[in-house]
Amino acid sequence: MRRKQRRTWIGSSRLWIGLSLLGVLLAWRGLVAWQQYPAFVLPTPEAVASRWWQELTQGALLQHTLRTLTEALGGFGLAFAASLVLGYILANWHWLDRIVSPQLAIVQAIPIVAVAPLILIWVGADLRAKLLVAALVTFFPMLSSVVVALRSVPRDIREMAAISGANRWQSLWQIELPLALPGIFGGIKTGLALATTGAVVAEFIGGREGLGALINIARGLFDTPLIFAALFTLGLLTFGFYQLAMWLERRLVTWE
């Protein structure tokens, strides 16, 4: 019954998403027809779709997309691994959390656009810098989710595990981590979306490949349909990341 209700909810949500997208496209097309905007100001949806297909069949769009995908997933992987390790430490040593968390919050408050040029100078305008920028953008939200999720595990359950003879590793792997998964996946969903943002920001500042670089090229050529095509591809990437996280959550979190 519960699975049937979930399928019904997923089906209805997809229907509403499709209808809302259709409404946006119709409103977009109507606005262009009403105001008679030139293509370099606001192209029609058909022009954007044609430009997107042209770049895709020529291979350029796929090449840029794969570059951004590599940077986003690589940065996310680095941030996720670091957030799990540091999150477990901060969740169990509160005195260290009181020292480290304010400093991390200060670093997070600095806009990544201001920090990215320094990273590119120090590391170089290559893949390593893009990975690092993407990791920095995603690290703090995921770290916060890991800390909150681990601390939400009931203390009596941990004590029962210790009384039963479970060591720290067994308690983490078999009790704390499974119970904290719903909260951790909240950070994963946010982190995957932000990883794309970080990769694109790095490409804006210094890069010849990637969707951010493609947008820069299109802007210099006043090729607005290509800008929209790149933005549409970024939206597809983010949506795909979110759906992947949702799928993993349904497979791993089976007790809710």
Side-chain angles (χ1 to χ4, degrees):
M1 177 65 70
R2 195 168 183 177
R3 288 186 177 180
K4 185 177 180 181
Q5 291 176 346
R6 178 178 290 181
R7 291 194 194 101
T8 303
W9 181 83
I10 292 174
S12 61
S13 64
R14 288 175 177 173
L15 175 62
W16 282 110
I17 291 174
L19 290 176
S20 62
L21 289 176
L22 179 61
V24 169
L25 290 175
L26 291 176
W28 177 4
R29 187 66 181 84
L31 178 63
V32 175
W34 177 40
Q35 295 291 337
Q36 296 295 315
Y37 287 121
F40 70 89
V41 175
L42 182 62
T44 62
E46 310 93 89
V48 173
S50 175
R51 194 75 173 88
W52 182 85
W53 181 252
Q54 177 186 354
E55 291 295 317
L56 183 65
T57 54
Q58 291 178 353
L61 183 61
L62 181 60
Q63 179 182 354
H64 288 293
T65 303
L66 289 176
R67 179 71 175 191
T68 301
L69 181 65
T70 301
E71 296 164 357
L73 289 179
F76 170 81
L78 291 174
F80 181 62
S83 65
L84 283 180
V85 175
L86 185 57
Y88 178 76
I89 295 173
L90 296 181
N92 288 277
W93 283 274
H94 294 263
W95 63 270
L96 184 61
D97 183 31
R98 289 192 292 269
I99 297 174
V100 174
S101 291
Q103 301 178 38
L104 292 175
I106 293 173
V107 173
Q108 182 67 20
I110 301 175
I112 192 62
V113 177
V115 179
L118 290 175
I119 295 175
L120 267 66
I121 292 173
W122 294 336
V123 180
D126 54 13
L127 182 60
R128 295 173 301 169
K130 313 302 191 331
L131 293 177
L132 187 55
V133 172
L136 286 176
V137 173
T138 60
F139 172 69
F140 189 77
M142 288 198 294
L143 175 65
S144 301
S145 298
V146 170
V147 172
V148 172
L150 288 174
R151 286 181 178 173
S152 66
V153 177
R155 187 172 182 178
D156 54 352
I157 296 180
R158 299 183 186 183
E159 293 175 350
M160 289 178 61
I163 293 172
S164 300
N167 57 36
R168 184 177 291 273
W169 172 254
Q170 291 172 330
S171 177
L172 171 64
W173 185 251
Q174 299 178 11
I175 296 173
E176 297 178 50
L177 191 57
L179 292 177
L181 271 181
I184 293 175
F185 266 105
I188 289 175
K189 295 172 191 174
T190 304
L192 282 172
L194 291 175
T196 308
T197 303
V200 171
V201 167
E203 292 164 358
F204 274 149
I205 297 173
R208 297 181 179 179
E209 288 185 287
L211 293 173
L214 182 62
I215 292 174
N216 269 339
I217 295 171
R219 181 181 60 182
L221 298 174
F222 293 95
D223 193 346
T224 309
L226 182 56
I227 295 177
F228 273 88
L231 292 175
F232 173 72
T233 307
L234 282 172
L236 286 180
L237 274 183
T238 305
F239 180 75
F241 286 156
Y242 186 82
Q243 291 299 312
L244 175 61
M246 291 284 290
W247 180 82
L248 288 174
E249 185 178 16
R250 288 195 297 269
R251 293 298 181 273
L252 296 177
V253 184
T254 58
W255 57 90
E256 288 198 331

